[in-house]
Amino acid sequence: MSDTKILLKSGTNELEIVEFYLDESRAGGDYRGYYGINVAKVLEIIQLPELTEMPEAAHPSVLGAFNLRSEIIPLIDLAGWLHKSRAENEPPKVIVTEFNRTKSAFLVSGVTRIHRIGWQEVEAPTNYVSSLTVNSITGVVKIAGKITFILDMEKICADLNPDAP
């Protein structure tokens, strides 16, 4: 993994991911799963804001909406979307994203850091791995001895709002 302090330039064959985690409640004890999203899609990471319920939300993982600088942004429980039971060990974080000029936010357990990785370090998920995660994993990378799944948050947003452009 490259550790230079320069900004990414096109043609470097690198990407930066925001690594975050979901703490899951399981019968045998809690489990922490690590995930990543392309940093270019992240607008900001914030504390959990006050939510307003959304009547007739299209999916149970949509927790409601909040106002961020005069924009109403829906909040998606990422653990719920992935059919996991999130453990509440600490105050959660919210990752605000933008895809195709549409802003959405994802509730996660916490954020670790940004990693710069080479595309050659990203492995394609097997069909089996993809099917176990609602087909939302685009890549798998090993960082510091742990597996981090790179999620296709854009696909999650598209699945929640199929009529979006």
Side-chain angles (χ1 to χ4, degrees):
M1 185 168 8
S2 174
D3 206 15
T4 62
K5 303 292 182 209
I6 62 168
L7 294 175
L8 291 181
K9 297 178 185 170
S10 62
T12 62
N13 206 22
E14 293 181 323
L15 78 149
E16 288 183 323
I17 60 168
V18 175
E19 182 186 64
F20 60 91
Y21 56 91
L22 293 173
D23 288 334
E24 302 171 38
S25 293
R26 293 186 174 177
D30 288 354
Y31 170 79
R32 179 168 282 180
Y34 291 90
Y35 302 88
I37 178 176
N38 187 334
V39 76
K41 304 296 185 181
V42 175
L43 295 176
E44 60 188 294
I45 298 166
I46 61 174
Q47 301 293 329
L48 179 62
E50 184 176 329
L51 292 178
T52 301
E53 277 192 45
M54 293 175 60
E56 300 178 33
H59 193 276
S61 64
V62 178
L63 299 175
F66 61 95
N67 185 339
L68 183 66
R69 288 185 283 289
S70 300
E71 285 192 74
I72 305 304
I73 300 175
L75 180 64
I76 300 153
D77 179 6
L78 190 57
W81 173 260
L82 295 172
H83 305 293
K84 299 178 181 306
S85 177
R86 189 173 52 81
E88 303 222 8
N89 298 331
E90 56 192 79
K93 297 287 189 264
V94 173
I95 300 174
V96 181
T97 63
E98 184 172 13
F99 308 106
N100 302 321
R101 293 187 294 264
T102 302
K103 294 180 182 171
S104 299
F106 294 90
L107 184 70
V108 300
S109 298
V111 176
T112 53
R113 60 175 281 202
I114 294 174
H115 295 279
R116 182 178 297 178
I117 57 175
W119 278 106
Q120 71 278 5
E121 298 174 65
V122 180
E123 300 174 24
T126 64
N127 289 337
Y128 180 61
V129 167
S130 288
S131 69
L132 292 174
T133 57
V134 200
N135 292 311
S136 52
I137 292 178
T138 59
V140 179
V141 64
K142 294 176 188 109
I143 300 173
K146 64 183 180 293
I147 295 173
T148 300
F149 295 107
I150 299 174
L151 293 178
D152 188 349
M153 309 292 240
E154 192 168 357
K155 178 187 182 307
I156 294 170
C157 290
D159 288 351
L160 286 169
N161 185 11
D163 298 330

